[in-house]
Amino acid sequence: MRSIIRHIRQSLSLKLSFSILLMTVPVFIVSLGILFVQSRRHIRQEAVEHATSALNTSVQRVRRYLNTVETATDATEWLVLESMHPDSLLSFSNRVVLLNANVNGCSITTEPYLFPQYGKYFSAYSVREGDSITTVREKEYEYFDKVWYKTPKELKEACWVDPFNDYNEGTLSASGMIASYCKPLYGKEGQFMGVISTDLSLQRLADAIAAEKPYRNAYFVMLGADGHYFVHPDSTKLVTQTIFTDMDARRHADIIALGHEMTAGHHGAMMVDVHGKPCLVCYGRVTGTKWSLALVCPDSDILYNYYQLSNLIAILIIIGLILITWFCRRIVAHSIRPLNRLVEQSQRLASGQYDEMIKTTSRQDAVGRLQNSFALMQDSLNQHIGDIQKMHEETEKRNEELQRASLLAEESDRQKTVFIQNMTHQIRTPLNIIMGFAQILRDNVTDLPVGEIRKMADMVEHNAMTLNRMVLMLYDSSDSGVSDEMNSQKYESVSCNEIARDSIANISLHFPDFSVHFETRIPDSLSINTSRLYLMRSLREILYNSAKYSDGQHISLCVSATESVVRFVFEDTGPGIDANYINEMFVPFTKVNDLSEGLGLGLPLSKRHIINLGGNLILDTEYHEGCRFIVELPLHT
């Protein structure tokens, strides 16, 4: 702090700048304060008008929904009274739901024993379930005490009842909460005959209410006559809680006052603290009901643009004051600018900052000669530092190259060790089997039954074939194998179905119990010009993997063709290939488990052979029952 004060005392430009700021800042603050207070009051008034308009729009939208239900019910009343028959009531109930998309259900319920043939109870009920409408005579249950039946009977007039859950065990019910418009039915002699009740889904009503919000975080709340929530963003409060639930008269006096205003059916607007956040609440009665609708608008949303504008003006004020200070300093320091700049640049040089170059000048006085001398000194220093930096970069580059070479050598040595261990493990097992059976045959050939000798011979042959397969794959993966492969491939006309069947027969030598479901969608005459040897090897390796790693029971090979390619699709059921291993499965000598059977060459060599034949080997990652490999080869070459 002392250094800042000392710097200000030594700088004439800073002194003048601070003097101007001390005169202008109070004027700015007072003017903007008055402007902000008036703007805030005006924005709040506009927010009340905007929210009230949005509330009235939502009330009218709700009223249109209610009018639709009321009109449909009133229009059906005289039809019911004219034709009071069980079948007719079922038809009228269905007709109300069918002709009115906003209606969720309709019930026509009668007094006890109105239809003696059906006993004490008769209720025709239709409910909308998706795109279908179900109409039934409900099973017997005590509906006379239900609010939708009892209320219009007691009032002797049509009315809307508060939303309720329509679930009744053993009867047809609407899903979710519903609000019902209930109209009593009176005969020609004035006797009470029953109730026609038309349902409106509370969810549909809530969607209609929330269709338009004036602010991003605004939301609607609907209360019943006793303050119960019927529409609220927190679904846990619906029906089970009122606006007065858990409200302390001292801490939540504003919410309690709002609840009394809404349940009394009043219209208005007031500021309420909701969960610690001030909110503007506009409320009003839904005409024709005892429900009250409120729009809750967070104060932070109302004043969002106001706060943004305040921040912008504050930034502009700070920038303006900085510019005034800067211009004052520039004017005062103009006469001594060369020396000040030279002092600053020399200080940067002393601290090791050589990036900004000191410019030469044409001035012939002492200041000019001093500036040119500093410029020459800086140029010499920069050349020397550049040489040192270049040497340092070359040294770092060589060290990095040596480090990479060392890592490659270590990785190569590790891979060589792993490969030798894997080869030893893979070859030792079949060799031990061959040597063991050979010794048994040599020492006990006369004592063994012919069947046992044949089994031993088969085992020797199987392991010899396994060794031969590994040797062939090692040869194919070597550099000489690649060269011979490219030079010795002979293309011929190969039948797609025939080579598929031959591959299945060939792999059966390794797995006698192996079963493949073969399907072809092409004629046996369809052939392609390719290398029979390498295509056979590729198909055989894929089948070999399916037999070894799947359940061995649900393996299939399907041959199909398009206008340009022929496809061999292999499917099996089993554990499949781990998603983390998919990107590495075509890399030679790569296995999920280094100690597992195999050299890690089957799939890589198959893919290489297929690519050399002009096609591709693909793993279908959308198949999750096991593995699905697709071999695609050009149909015409």
Side-chain angles (χ1 to χ4, degrees):
M1 186 64 181
R2 292 180 179 178
S3 62
I4 296 176
I5 296 175
R6 184 169 58 253
H7 179 66
I8 293 174
R9 289 177 178 176
Q10 295 175 354
S11 175
L12 179 60
S13 59
L14 284 178
K15 289 181 180 180
L16 291 175
S17 299
F18 277 109
S19 299
I20 295 172
L21 289 175
L22 289 175
M23 291 185 294
T24 56
V25 167
V27 176
F28 279 143
I29 293 176
V30 173
S31 301
L32 290 175
I34 296 173
L35 176 63
F36 285 169
V37 170
Q38 295 296 329
S39 299
R40 190 184 185 95
R41 184 180 305 164
H42 181 67
I43 289 173
R44 285 192 182 279
Q45 183 61 35
E46 285 188 347
V48 172
E49 296 174 358
H50 188 34
T52 302
S53 176
L55 176 66
N56 292 334
T57 300
S58 295
V59 170
Q60 293 301 321
R61 188 180 295 111
V62 172
R63 189 60 252 175
R64 285 197 298 271
Y65 273 84
L66 300 183
N67 285 340
T68 300
V69 176
E70 293 173 3
T71 302
T73 306
D74 295 340
T76 307
E77 177 191 12
W78 71 273
L79 292 173
V80 174
L81 295 175
E82 287 294 325
S83 181
M84 185 63 74
H85 299 290
D87 293 339
S88 299
L89 298 187
L90 290 169
S91 175
F92 295 149
S93 173
N94 181 274
R95 182 174 181 270
V96 171
V97 181
L98 178 65
L99 297 181
N100 298 276
N102 293 331
V103 172
N104 190 62
C106 177
S107 67
I108 304 175
T109 313
T110 65
E111 279 288 89
Y113 303 106
L114 185 64
F115 301 116
Q117 66 273 31
Y118 292 107
K120 181 179 179 180
Y121 307 95
F122 183 86
S123 175
Y125 185 41
S126 297
V127 64
R128 188 187 302 277
E129 298 177 349
D131 295 332
S132 63
I133 299 174
T134 304
T135 302
V136 298
R137 182 176 87 79
E138 292 191 277
K139 295 181 179 181
E140 296 182 356
Y141 72 101
E142 193 67 25
Y143 55 76
F144 304 112
D145 293 332
K146 297 294 184 181
V147 65
W148 51 267
Y149 190 91
K150 181 173 61 176
T151 303
K153 182 178 179 180
E154 293 175 351
L155 296 177
K156 298 182 179 181
E157 63 180 14
C159 63
W160 281 95
V161 297
D162 289 346
F164 60 92
N165 192 326
D166 186 46
Y167 175 76
N168 289 295
E169 186 175 357
T171 67
L172 183 65
S173 302
S175 59
M177 303 294 295
I178 59 174
S180 293
Y181 176 70
C182 307
K183 191 174 184 68
L185 299 173
Y186 291 95
K188 294 180 180 180
E189 298 179 0
Q191 74 279 18
F192 178 73
M193 302 178 68
V195 172
I196 177 171
S197 175
T198 307
D199 304 332
L200 176 64
S201 171
L202 188 61
Q203 183 60 46
R204 182 186 292 269
L205 191 62
D207 294 341
I209 292 173
E212 181 179 352
K213 299 188 297 185
Y215 301 102
R216 183 182 61 174
N217 296 313
Y219 59 90
F220 286 91
V221 173
M222 179 179 282
L223 303 182
D226 56 355
H228 275 90
Y229 289 111
F230 296 147
V231 174
H232 195 281
D234 185 358
S235 60
T236 61
K237 294 183 178 182
L238 297 180
V239 179
T240 60
Q241 296 186 20
T242 70
I243 193 172
F244 307 108
T245 301
D246 298 330
M247 292 297 165
D248 189 338
R250 289 176 296 179
R251 295 174 52 198
H252 307 104
D254 50 354
I255 294 181
I256 294 175
L258 173 64
H260 288 297
E261 285 287 308
M262 293 180 66
T263 53
H266 296 161
H267 291 73
M270 61 188 299
M271 292 299 296
V272 177
D273 187 73
V274 181
H275 302 302
K277 298 180 180 179
C279 298
L280 172 65
V281 181
C282 295
Y283 53 91
R285 170 65 62 85
V286 178
T287 309
T289 70
K290 295 182 180 180
W291 308 336
S292 184
L293 185 64
L295 174 59
V296 182
C297 304
D299 197 54
S300 58
D301 282 12
I302 296 173
L303 299 177
Y304 177 78
N305 292 330
Y306 171 79
Y307 293 141
Q308 294 293 104
L309 180 61
S310 301
N311 294 334
L312 178 61
I313 293 177
I315 293 173
L316 292 177
I317 291 174
I318 294 173
I319 293 175
L321 294 176
I322 292 174
L323 289 175
I324 292 174
T325 304
W326 184 78
F327 277 118
C328 291
R329 289 197 62 195
R330 294 290 294 177
I331 293 172
V332 174
H334 179 70
S335 60
I336 58 173
R337 181 190 303 168
L339 284 178
N340 286 337
R341 186 174 181 182
L342 187 60
V343 170
E344 292 174 357
Q345 292 177 333
S346 62
Q347 289 175 349
R348 291 192 183 96
L349 287 175
S351 62
Q353 301 179 19
Y354 306 104
D355 296 335
E356 185 177 352
M357 298 296 294
I358 300 176
K359 297 180 180 179
T360 58
T361 180
S362 58
R363 294 176 59 171
Q364 300 297 321
D365 54 10
V367 175
R369 291 196 299 272
L370 180 63
Q371 183 173 346
N372 291 334
S373 298
F374 270 95
L376 180 62
M377 179 187 66
Q378 185 183 24
D379 185 61
S380 299
L381 285 173
N382 285 339
Q383 290 182 3
H384 180 65
I385 293 173
D387 293 339
I388 295 174
Q389 185 174 2
K390 183 177 180 180
M391 183 180 299
H392 178 70
E393 290 175 354
E394 291 179 353
T395 303
E396 285 187 346
K397 183 177 180 180
R398 291 177 181 176
N399 289 337
E400 290 176 357
E401 291 176 352
L402 289 173
Q403 186 177 6
R404 284 196 298 269
S406 176
L407 292 175
L408 289 174
E410 292 177 359
E411 178 63 19
S412 176
D413 183 65
R414 188 193 70 80
Q415 290 183 355
K416 180 188 70 174
T417 302
V418 171
F419 175 73
I420 292 173
Q421 291 174 347
N422 188 32
M423 279 294 301
T424 303
H425 175 74
Q426 298 299 329
I427 294 176
R428 182 173 55 193
T429 300
L431 278 178
N432 287 339
I433 293 173
I434 293 172
M435 292 174 63
F437 280 126
Q439 184 176 0
I440 292 172
L441 291 172
R442 183 191 63 190
D443 297 339
N444 303 293
V445 67
T446 58
D447 300 331
L448 294 173
V450 175
E452 290 294 329
I453 294 175
R454 184 174 292 109
K455 288 182 181 179
M456 292 181 184
D458 291 341
M459 288 293 294
V460 170
E461 181 183 12
H462 172 73
N463 285 276
M465 291 171 64
T466 301
L467 287 175
N468 182 62
R469 173 176 169 270
M470 283 191 279
V471 171
L472 284 176
M473 285 196 296
L474 287 172
Y475 179 73
D476 285 346
S477 66
S478 65
D479 292 338
S480 60
V482 174
S483 301
D484 291 346
E485 175 186 328
M486 300 301 296
N487 295 329
S488 64
Q489 279 192 22
K490 295 181 180 180
Y491 284 75
E492 57 183 306
S493 179
V494 177
S495 170
C496 298
N497 288 339
E498 179 186 352
I499 198 167
R501 294 188 182 98
D502 290 348
S503 299
I504 295 173
N506 183 280
I507 202 65
S508 297
L509 297 176
H510 292 271
F511 301 94
D513 298 330
F514 179 65
S515 175
V516 178
H517 173 69
F518 178 67
E519 178 185 353
T520 180
R521 300 174 184 171
I522 60 174
D524 289 344
S525 59
L526 181 64
S527 300
I528 58 174
N529 190 28
T530 186
S531 170
R532 179 182 183 86
L533 173 63
Y534 287 106
L535 177 57
M536 181 79 167
R537 286 186 184 178
S538 302
L539 301 182
R540 183 184 61 196
E541 286 301 326
I542 299 173
L543 285 172
Y544 190 93
N545 280 352
S546 295
K548 186 166 61 172
Y549 297 113
S550 73
D551 62 1
Q553 301 297 322
H554 303 87
I555 304 172
S556 65
L557 169 58
C558 178
V559 184
S560 61
T562 65
E563 295 181 356
S564 58
V565 299
V566 60
R567 289 193 179 96
F568 298 85
V569 180
F570 300 82
E571 289 185 1
D572 62 58
T573 301
I577 296 178
D578 193 297
N580 299 324
Y581 179 65
I582 291 177
N583 295 330
E584 301 178 2
M585 67 180 179
F586 292 121
V587 178
F589 302 107
T590 301
K591 300 192 299 181
V592 178
N593 182 356
D594 290 338
L595 298 179
S596 63
E597 183 180 352
L599 300 176
L601 290 173
L603 288 177
L605 289 178
S606 297
K607 187 174 182 70
R608 189 180 76 182
H609 293 332
I610 296 300
I611 291 175
N612 288 338
L613 296 176
N616 198 7
L617 172 58
I618 306 166
L619 172 65
D620 186 355
T621 56
E622 296 182 357
Y623 181 76
H624 302 294
E625 299 298 325
C627 288
R628 176 189 287 157
F629 284 96
I630 302 173
V631 174
E632 291 187 348
L633 290 170
L635 192 58
H636 305 288
T637 57

